[in-house]
Amino acid sequence: MNFNIGMVSLGCAKNQTDAETMLAILQDEGYKIVSDPEDADAIIVNTCGFIDSAKQESINTTLEMAQYKTDGKCKLLIMTGCLAERYAKDITDELPEVDAVLGTGDYDKIAEIIKSARESASAPVMTNNIDRTPECALPRVLLTPPYTAYLKIADGCDNNCTYCAIPKIRGHFRSRKPEDIISEAKSLRDRGVKELILIAQDTTRYGTDIGTTLAQLLDELAKIDGIEWIRAHYYYTEAITKELIDTMAKYDNICNYIDMPIQHADNYILRRMARRTTIEEIEEKIAYMRKTLKNCYIRTSIIVGFPGETEEHFKNLYDFVKRTKFDRMGVFTYSCEEGTPAAEFDMQIPEDVKEQRYDALMSLQQGISLELNQSKIGTVIDVIVEGYDEDNFLFYGRSRGDSIDVDGMVYFGTEDEVSPGDIIKVKILDASEYDLTGQRV
């Protein structure tokens, strides 16, 4: 088939795994996948619709790709993913450049919608199946380096936090069958993957709908020969159990990396967010993690400027971050999402106040991060090699405490031959706010 497909995938890792499946399906159907949009007969924009900035990026990227219908050989422009799911009618009404729209529950039908778009004068739309889980045994074209892969263990969310539109985009929480996950993990291992990153909107609730637990899944995954690192993203505090932490401590190939988005540290704001936890529970869980997990890394995310957040509430958050000293932290200003309860809350916070609070927390965290990194000078850590920095004449990689694309790097010198995917020992000799520098030992 002489028809080239290009894709731009935006947003989170969950969106990326959907993109990987779409590309593999199209490849199996005989389409050629190209990286340069100038060479594409059809361009897919796999969109994000989580917050306003992500929506704008998705729209801007779509309009940018639409230029190739004039300046290139592109005949079809297709929007998929979260923005496409949530705003399908607006897209077809207001973006005549778009030739087809495919939602989050139907991404495995990408070949069908391209066929329909090629044959139809009007834009076909497949959406409103957000609670559908496509067949599990689907192929993937990995967009990550060959030694690392995301492994989606569930989709959707039932937490219904007041600021979040995910349940309207991704549907109810649905766990994949453990046997399907184990089978996919072994398949990835056979392709050379050494690091598995488990993802879901809430990984800690894995199995609650099918009679199992994340701890039990990790126990099985850790026993797969050849999988050297396992980490998971998006632990919700209230669902972190002693069994889960004890299972992590049991296996050396499970990274002691906790990605736990607490979002705030004041009980009043947590209640307004409809978070199912308290600051006291958060502190108790963190204390148990740090007691039980050797060299534990805790990553979190924070929202500042949530409706009703007073200076006192922000001070409680600031003081909590100061004393807790998270290893990694991302800060976001509250984004008012239409259709969510928080969008209708009173006491909305001005943008300039949000930015001031953002700057204050980020400045605090930079100092904490530098202090924690400097404490690693003289230690020896495991590093997965990723490449060579020609500007600094150093190799670089990630530690067990650094997930791909979101955390820092470890730069190192060596006289030995190393290749991407190798896991080596590095002695740390210097540190900055986010990165470490050392020598292979």
Side-chain angles (χ1 to χ4, degrees), residues 305-310 334 347-354 357:
F306 189 79
E309 183 190 64
T310 64
Y334 168 71
M347 297 182 288
Q348 296 285 334
I349 307 299
E351 291 300 321
D352 62 331
V353 175
K354 294 181 190 178
R357 294 174 181 176

Side-chain angles (χ1 to χ4, degrees), residues 250-292:
K250 181 179 174 183
Y251 294 100
D252 186 58
N253 63 344
I254 299 179
C255 297
N256 293 338
Y257 177 94
I258 306 286
D259 183 4
M260 182 178 69
I262 65 168
Q263 309 300 18
H264 214 277
D266 180 274
N267 284 336
Y268 170 77
I269 298 298
L270 288 171
R271 286 194 299 272
R272 279 176 71 88
M273 288 179 166
R275 303 288 289 187
R276 304 175 187 184
T277 190
T278 63
I279 184 59
E280 292 79 16
E281 182 180 26
I282 292 170
E283 291 183 311
E284 179 185 342
K285 296 288 177 73
I286 289 174
Y288 187 74
M289 292 172 205
R290 287 179 166 166
K291 173 186 173 183
T292 308

Side-chain angles (χ1 to χ4, degrees), residues 93-255:
D93 288 348
E94 299 177 24
L95 292 175
E97 300 92 342
V98 175
D99 300 290
V101 179
L102 186 67
T104 57
D106 295 303
Y107 61 87
D108 58 327
K109 299 179 181 178
I110 184 64
E112 295 175 37
I113 203 162
I114 287 179
K115 183 176 184 295
S116 296
R118 293 179 71 180
E119 297 173 350
S120 174
S122 59
V125 175
M126 292 186 191
T127 57
N128 300 317
N129 288 318
I130 56 174
D131 286 320
R132 176 179 177 268
T133 300
E135 179 186 343
C136 289
L138 292 171
R140 287 169 62 187
V141 171
L142 294 183
L143 299 176
T144 50
Y147 48 83
T148 296
Y150 294 109
L151 181 56
K152 185 158 61 169
I153 64 173
D155 213 335
C157 188
D158 289 330
N159 290 331
N160 293 308
C161 301
T162 57
Y163 53 81
C164 184
I166 290 295
K168 298 176 183 294
I169 300 170
R170 289 276 179 178
H172 292 292
F173 185 82
R174 313 178 297 286
S175 298
R176 291 181 60 192
K177 295 177 183 178
E179 57 267 30
D180 291 333
I181 296 171
I182 298 299
S183 176
E184 184 173 359
K186 289 179 178 177
S187 174
L188 290 167
R189 182 271 317 270
D190 293 343
R191 294 170 64 177
V193 169
K194 294 182 179 180
E195 178 188 32
L196 287 179
I197 305 174
L198 310 188
I199 53 171
Q201 193 61 35
D202 180 354
T203 54
T204 31
R205 295 197 193 282
Y206 173 77
T208 54
D209 53 335
I210 57 173
T212 186
T213 66
L214 178 60
Q216 290 171 318
L217 177 65
L218 283 173
D219 190 72
E220 291 299 314
L221 289 170
K223 295 172 183 174
I224 299 175
D225 290 338
I227 299 298
E228 299 190 40
W229 285 6
I230 301 170
R231 72 176 80 239
H233 284 197
Y234 317 123
Y235 289 72
Y236 278 57
T237 312
E238 66 275 14
I240 295 174
T241 62
K242 183 176 182 294
E243 177 195 20
L244 173 59
I245 300 305
D246 291 347
T247 299
M248 293 179 66
K250 181 179 174 183
Y251 294 100
D252 186 58
N253 63 344
I254 299 179
C255 297

